[in-house]
Amino acid sequence: KAGVTQTPRYLIKTRGQQVTLSCSPISGHRSVSWYQQTPGQGLQFLFEYFSETQRNKGNFPGRFSGRQFSNSRSEMNVSTLELGDSALYLCASSGGPSSYEQYFGPGTRLTVT
Amino acid sequence: GESVGLHLPTLSVQEGDNSIINCAYSNSASDYFIWYKQESGKGPQFIIDIRSNMDKRQGQRVTVLLNKTVKHLSLQIAATQPGDSAVYFCAETRLYGNNRLAFGKGNQVVVIP
């Protein structure tokens, strides 16, 4: 069974630009969560989607948004990029609507210059 | 590889010795706890979980202890191997209807051959 895949793995953007990151969950998983990882703040929850609906949202500005498609693949978008958005963005998939063995992808390393 | 954190508490352990990693969690309403291992360049990998109705759970070479009175979690690794070198995170959440994980800051484990 293939694991969680994220594309692209590395990305360099300029301040003010926008970016879209993609996550393909494990086959059959319907929940996708996104996390931001930085040296200063650690791993922080961004949002979670289940069956194309956003169920939970973390404390991030509205510049961070996401969506989930009918095949459970998910995208997150960050608009008007700031230097502080440089981070490793991780997505995790889970089989059901409750926390149980969330499986993480390798992440997308975003650098904003 | 990816730098997953700066200034993390570091545990240096001799190969073959046992390791103990500690974590204080914050939400007394949390009822599900997970330990993750993150190696350089990879996403967090599930190690072991425990529900709040238990105080101990054992896996292969790992044991998690939960003390709800003082909101403390620990991970014990028996016969530590070089492949155990990584950053270890504890995470807490509410089990039902919620896939939102709150992560601790992480502990770096360095295994000395």
Side-chain angles (χ1 to χ4, degrees), chain A residues 9-10 31 33 35 37 40-41 43 45 48 55-58 96-102 104-106 109, chain B residues 2-6 32 36 38 41-44 46 49 51 89 93-101 103 105:
Chain A
R9 290 294 312 277
Y10 300 92
S31 169
S33 300
Y35 293 83
Q37 186 174 29
Q41 298 300 315
L43 277 149
F45 174 81
E48 184 236 352
R55 289 201 308 166
N56 289 289
K57 191 175 192 305
S98 299
S99 297
Y100 186 71
E101 293 201 38
Q102 290 191 45
F104 282 82
R109 167 65 67 183
Chain B
E2 305 291 351
S3 171
V4 298
L6 299 175
Y32 181 59
Y36 283 92
Q38 187 174 26
K42 298 182 179 179
F46 176 96
D49 59 358
R51 300 191 184 195
F89 295 94
T93 189
R94 297 294 302 276
L95 187 57
Y96 295 104
N98 181 4
N99 275 338
R100 177 177 185 158
L101 296 173
F103 282 86
K105 290 295 184 186

Side-chain angles (χ1 to χ4, degrees), chain A residues 32-76:
Chain A
V32 174
S33 300
W34 288 89
Y35 293 83
Q36 181 195 65
Q37 186 174 29
T38 60
Q41 298 300 315
L43 277 149
Q44 291 187 292
F45 174 81
L46 279 157
F47 30 66
E48 184 236 352
Y49 287 87
F50 180 78
S51 293
E52 301 179 65
T53 300
Q54 186 182 88
R55 289 201 308 166
N56 289 289
K57 191 175 192 305
N59 297 323
F60 280 82
R63 299 185 297 107
F64 292 81
S65 63
R67 60 177 174 169
Q68 186 179 34
F69 302 94
S70 58
N71 61 357
S72 294
R73 189 178 70 85
S74 177
E75 290 181 344
M76 68 163 281

Side-chain angles (χ1 to χ4, degrees), chain B residues 12-63:
Chain B
S12 295
V13 59
Q14 205 71 36
E15 181 179 356
D17 287 352
N18 296 334
S19 305
I20 298 177
I21 307 161
N22 296 302
C23 174
Y25 65 92
S26 57
N27 189 350
S28 56
S30 294
D31 56 10
Y32 181 59
F33 306 88
I34 313 104
W35 279 99
Y36 283 92
K37 170 187 179 183
Q38 187 174 26
E39 298 172 278
S40 183
K42 298 182 179 179
Q45 176 188 358
F46 176 96
I47 301 174
I48 191 168
D49 59 358
I50 188 168
R51 300 191 184 195
S52 60
N53 61 353
M54 304 171 70
D55 53 21
K56 180 178 180 179
R57 189 162 188 230
Q58 289 184 290
Q60 188 178 8
R61 283 202 307 118
V62 294
T63 301

